[in-house]
Amino acid sequence: MSNANCNEGGCHAGVRIGLDLAKYVFEVHGVDSHGKVVVRKTLRRDAVARFFANLPRCLVGMEASNGAHYWARVLSDLGHEVQLISPQFVTPYVKSNKNDRNDAEAICEAVGRPSMRFVPPKSIDQLAIQAVHRIRRRLVADRVRLINQFRGLLSEHGIVIARDISQLRRSLAVIVGNHADGLIDMVRSLMRELRAEMAELDDRIATYDRRIREIFRTSEQCQRLGKIEGIGPVTATALIAAVGNRTCFKNGRQFAAWLGLVPKQRSSGGRACLFGISKRGDRYLRTLMIHGARAALGKAGGKQDPRSLWLGKLRQRRHPNVAAVALANKNARIVWAMLSGSTVYEHAPSVKAA
């Protein structure tokens, strides 16, 4: 369906468009500068680029879902301004029942809000690094599930193994070659097969670890972030892959909030109520930042440099988990400052800002 103000060839300038993405069928909803609907259209996948190529420059909003970064590049190359929105910020604008046409209208409305928060776009290189991390993350999760299955199956036969993976490896080496522990041959054979499967997963994870280290060595930005205590090759490359356009964040606190490292707030009537961290954003990045902070806290003991002394006092005042999150929050702000200003990490300013 097309409005009289928008013909098959294009729309007048000042159009704001909401584009609902899908695999094959896309919905377009556009309004002019006065909010009047000028286009409603259903497009097949192969017609999307051709349709937008015939339009004058306009603002296009899309949900940050699967394929959004690809279409952001395509439409940006055609001269349009593209903004990606988190789906949770689009939901309040959906009218009545949820369908593709209503979603496109909601996106069009959301992208025009002056206070809307947008998702940083990603380049092809960032998406490639992100793919490496996602595959590695899936392999690590597969290994964790396999280890849990090991422990569960063996516990049914009276053999209890500690959760530590190194102890599991040592115990399996003994179990598969020991015939005096009461296991029947079938179970022992299954343990051999699972042990071989875990060895294969170890090799594949090591391969991706080498890829990440190579990316880290060849990236000047990653090298600078790696100077921060608590940020290693895995965290540094994951941050570079995720952050994208740093101008989307006004300050370091917004970046830390984007990672979910700030308190959840439910305040009303002038009374501030703060809870645990919000846990918004990318769980993988947040986990890496907190685990890295825990490692930095553990290594700070006994050192006399200003940052280590500050970390020691922090841990004395607060629970170790709270101290780890606080350090992760500080590291996130330092990361934003380094990326936005192209500066190098300095110990003294980071302690003075605490």
Side-chain angles (χ1 to χ4, degrees), residues 339-351:
L339 293 179
S340 60
S342 298
T343 58
V344 296
Y345 176 64
E346 300 179 14
H347 293 263
S350 68
V351 176

Side-chain angles (χ1 to χ4, degrees), residues 20-85:
D20 183 61
L21 302 177
K23 291 182 179 179
Y24 304 109
V25 180
F26 296 67
E27 283 290 338
V28 176
H29 182 97
V31 299
D32 60 16
S33 57
H34 301 289
K36 184 179 179 180
V37 177
V38 294
V39 57
R40 288 196 188 101
K41 202 172 185 65
T42 301
L43 300 173
R44 300 291 297 179
R45 185 180 184 88
D46 55 358
V48 174
R50 184 169 62 252
F51 173 80
F52 281 95
N54 294 325
L55 295 183
R57 185 178 187 274
C58 56
L59 172 63
V60 182
M62 297 181 291
E63 285 186 333
S65 56
N66 187 29
H69 295 284
Y70 165 76
W71 287 110
R73 290 196 305 272
V74 171
L75 299 186
S76 295
D77 292 341
L78 293 174
H80 300 290
E81 179 186 356
V82 182
Q83 296 286 8
L84 304 182
I85 311 173

